[in-house]
Amino acid sequence: MSHLTELRDRVVRALLVVVVFFGLSFYFAPQIMEFLARPLTEALPPGSKAIFIDQAGAFFTLTKIAFLTALLISLPVVLYQAWAFVAPGLYVHEKKLVLPLVVASFLLFLVGMCFAYFLVFPVIFKFMAAIAPEGVAWMTDIDKYFGFVLSTFVAFGVTFEVPVIVVVLVRMGLLTVEKLREYRGYFIVIAFVVAAVITPPDIVSQLALAIPM
């Protein structure tokens, strides 16, 4: 019961932090939305614009953005609460491994998101704008755009966790460096297959995800 009580307390603390940051994020949600939409708005040709096609689309989009922003900002606290709960049951050498992996996981997730925003999105949207037929106004549903952006953030964030996953599997003895070298060609093929499944149907985004993976 003492362990369950501690687990409840740590979950409550983590949720309270998320709720507090959600309130702050919702206040700044319009500015965050404008920042996230910049790769699209800069790629739009003259006469085209992003629109909402649903009456409540703006509210739900701002709520979604605020929640995911709060979750991202709160992630260090959430990870710390999880770490503090399991740490007493770990050996010293396990503690030395887990804490750097937790920090690295968070930083690599951020790197993956930044890679998608600053390098991938401008290329994708300029490519899509370039292939639009002449005389046809390219008006994008901003709600669907943010759905694409957020799912792509998750995809690239998880993809950039590959180094952490490899280290864990090797330390657990499930893989060896020799086996990784031996099957490198297969992993490259798997990387391109995974990228083709979770990215939009264009070669630019597929390469942008597969190569870092």
Side-chain angles (χ1 to χ4, degrees), residues 3 7 15 17 23 35 62 69 84 88 100 114 145 153 159 161 177 196 199 212:
H3 290 302
L7 177 62
L15 289 177
V17 172
F35 174 75
L62 291 174
T69 302
C114 292
Y145 166 77
F153 277 160
T159 296
E161 299 294 330
V177 177
T199 57

Side-chain angles (χ1 to χ4, degrees), residues 69-91:
T69 302
L71 196 60
L72 181 64
I73 298 174
S74 307
L75 194 56
V77 178
V78 174
L79 292 175
Y80 170 77
Q81 294 298 331
W83 158 254
F85 178 72
V86 302
L90 299 177
Y91 293 107

